[in-house]
Amino acid sequence: MPKDELIALCCRYTGETWSGAKERIGQQPNGSPLIPAAFGEQAILESKLLRALLDHPTAYTTRPLRILRVIPYEHRPVIRFAADSDPDGLADLIAWGLFSSGGKHNLGGISGLRLLNAGHGRLDLRLHGTAARIRLEGVPDRAWAQAEEIRYLTAAEYNEQSPCRHPGLTPGEWNFANEHGWFEQRWRETAAFGSALLRRLLIFRSGADWLDMAGFTKHTNTYGIRLTFAGARWTDHDVLIKHLTDPLCGIALKEDMRTCSCAYGRNGCRLWFDGPERVPGRLDLQMIDAGPDCEVAEYNQALTFTGSPSGQITRVTGYPPGMTADCAPNCHRHHDTLGHLQRVAERRRKELDRLRRKAR
């Protein structure tokens, strides 16, 4: 394959610009993989970041956060958020999704994640006690300031230490490690698989026109992706599997089981994959149809509310922003995507106001 085509292929998996991918690949030794793998503590940090992104319920966009690209440098990858990301929602994700929230039974956030530098829309983060690093870009300075304020105020309310700049492990992190150390061990076992998925996260966006990508994890070894499609924009599961397992940029997944109703005239698929040989971990891939037009219209309005580009909205829903539709006769009439986003955003705002008043 010509080099230009290899670079373009890599960009589909990482979201990098063509020139950026060309420069990065040109700096690698000859024969290196297009998307290099992470090892050791670096892979552990990246897998924990993926877990945090998938599990945190963002309230201002479809999930996960509006990630524009993942630049897979071997020793310090870059996660870049799109310029149209909501600063308040980004602050919420950083404060509650990435940094640990304390308590010996609290699985939220990444234990030991610490700030190295912040400024100019960038956060350089490290994993305490290791050389593992990661950079977040596209984070407005006010979003980081708000995130740090949230962690400081909530920590003070519960007599905890804010983890963002703490020099060691906080009491909550120590207590969690002592109480649930086996979680940490199991997460380490699947770190290589989680890191590999993170470095190829953008293939889910470039390889399928979904309305919503919801993430989740279960047990200690399974990463889950749930894609919701408008029926007219359905992506066949075999097409996405081909992308995920591409021999040059994909992962050597082994299909374990599938349950599909699409063969019977309905669009619904669930597929389980095991990681490559000697790489423990599982992928639970779910693909579902949003249902009637009224439900698609609800997603259209939610995407509009959260600031998604009009071109993307039109591509994935088939209609420009602001689509409306009457409920179909067979509609359950319980869809409330837009209302949920609005309520959670309002609840988040009220909670921050409460913490600020209490701290005065």
Side-chain angles (χ1 to χ4, degrees):
M1 183 182 293
K3 185 175 182 179
D4 287 359
E5 293 183 21
L6 287 174
I7 294 171
L9 174 66
C10 183
C11 291
R12 284 174 55 81
Y13 288 79
T14 65
E16 295 170 278
T17 62
W18 191 91
S19 59
K22 178 183 179 182
E23 180 180 2
R24 177 182 62 78
I25 293 171
Q27 294 171 351
Q28 298 175 183
N30 289 335
S32 298
L34 295 175
I35 303 177
F39 299 96
E41 299 292 345
Q42 185 63 45
I44 291 169
L45 173 57
E46 293 175 26
S47 66
K48 288 184 174 182
L49 180 68
L50 177 64
R51 183 178 296 275
L53 287 170
L54 295 182
D55 281 345
H56 185 74
T58 63
Y60 73 101
T61 184
T62 51
R63 294 185 287 170
L65 286 181
R66 195 175 291 119
I67 295 174
L68 185 67
R69 62 181 60 100
V70 178
I71 306 175
Y73 295 118
E74 183 176 355
H75 299 296
R76 194 213 59 187
V78 175
I79 310 297
R80 183 166 186 83
F81 297 107
D84 56 0
S85 296
D86 167 36
D88 294 328
L90 200 53
D92 186 63
L93 177 279
I94 294 169
W96 292 108
L98 300 190
F99 286 96
S100 63
S101 50
K104 65 180 181 180
H105 300 305
N106 195 317
L107 300 180
I110 302 172
S111 180
L113 188 68
R114 297 293 182 266
L115 176 74
L116 278 175
N117 296 295
H120 307 291
R122 296 173 176 175
L123 298 180
D124 285 318
L125 306 173
R126 67 180 177 90
L127 193 60
H128 172 70
T130 76
R133 303 287 188 271
I134 203 158
R135 170 173 284 182
L136 305 184
E137 293 186 347
V139 181
D141 291 348
R142 82 170 182 87
W144 164 245
Q146 183 173 313
E148 192 166 22
E149 180 187 18
I150 290 171
R151 293 307 301 120
Y152 176 80
L153 292 175
T154 52
E157 183 174 41
Y158 294 102
N159 295 316
E160 299 175 355
Q161 293 287 333
S162 175
C164 302
R165 301 174 188 267
H166 197 271
L169 293 180
T170 67
E173 290 170 336
W174 276 114
N175 290 336
F176 176 80
N178 292 331
E179 194 79 17
H180 301 290
W182 66 275
F183 270 109
E184 184 75 19
Q185 181 57 39
R186 294 296 300 274
W187 288 336
R188 285 174 175 268
E189 292 172 1
T190 61
F193 188 52
S195 170
L197 285 172
L198 176 68
R199 288 171 174 244
R200 295 160 175 80
L201 190 62
L202 270 293
I203 193 59
F204 290 102
R205 182 177 294 278
S206 63
D209 288 332
W210 39 263
L211 297 168
D212 181 48
M213 176 177 167
F216 60 95
T217 59
K218 59 184 181 181
H219 311 300
T220 56
N221 69 337
T222 302
Y223 300 88
I225 302 291
R226 184 182 299 114
L227 305 178
T228 302
F229 295 86
R233 297 295 189 273
W234 181 261
T235 298
D236 186 272
H237 59 236
D238 286 334
V239 172
L240 191 52
I241 293 170
K242 185 177 180 180
H243 292 318
L244 291 171
T245 58
D246 181 87
L248 291 175
C249 287
I251 306 173
L253 300 172
K254 298 177 292 183
E255 187 173 331
D256 179 63
M257 182 174 61
R258 69 169 65 187
T259 59
C260 296
S261 60
C262 52
Y264 302 98
R266 296 166 52 214
N267 288 337
C269 305
R270 189 169 187 176
L271 306 99
W272 287 267
F273 298 93
D274 291 323
E277 295 290 343
R278 296 183 295 280
V279 182
R282 299 195 81 201
L283 173 64
D284 180 351
L285 178 62
Q286 302 175 24
M287 303 170 69
I288 60 177
D289 187 347
D293 284 347
C294 55
E295 206 161 325
V296 176
E298 185 80 15
Y299 276 107
N300 183 295
Q301 294 165 27
L303 289 166
T304 303
F305 171 75
T306 58
S308 291
S310 59
Q312 177 191 347
I313 296 172
T314 303
R315 188 180 72 252
V316 302
T317 68
Y319 295 90
M323 171 193 178
T324 60
D326 294 330
C327 282
N330 62 340
C331 174
H332 51 66
R333 289 178 168 79
H334 293 158
H335 54 80
D336 191 27
T337 304
L338 178 59
H340 171 72
L341 293 175
Q342 293 171 329
R343 288 191 299 272
V344 173
E346 179 65 14
R347 188 164 62 245
R348 182 179 63 211
R349 184 190 64 78
K350 289 181 177 179
E351 175 64 10
L352 181 56
D353 287 346
R354 183 190 69 80
L355 290 170
R356 284 170 171 167
R357 287 195 301 270
K358 186 175 180 179
R360 289 178 186 147

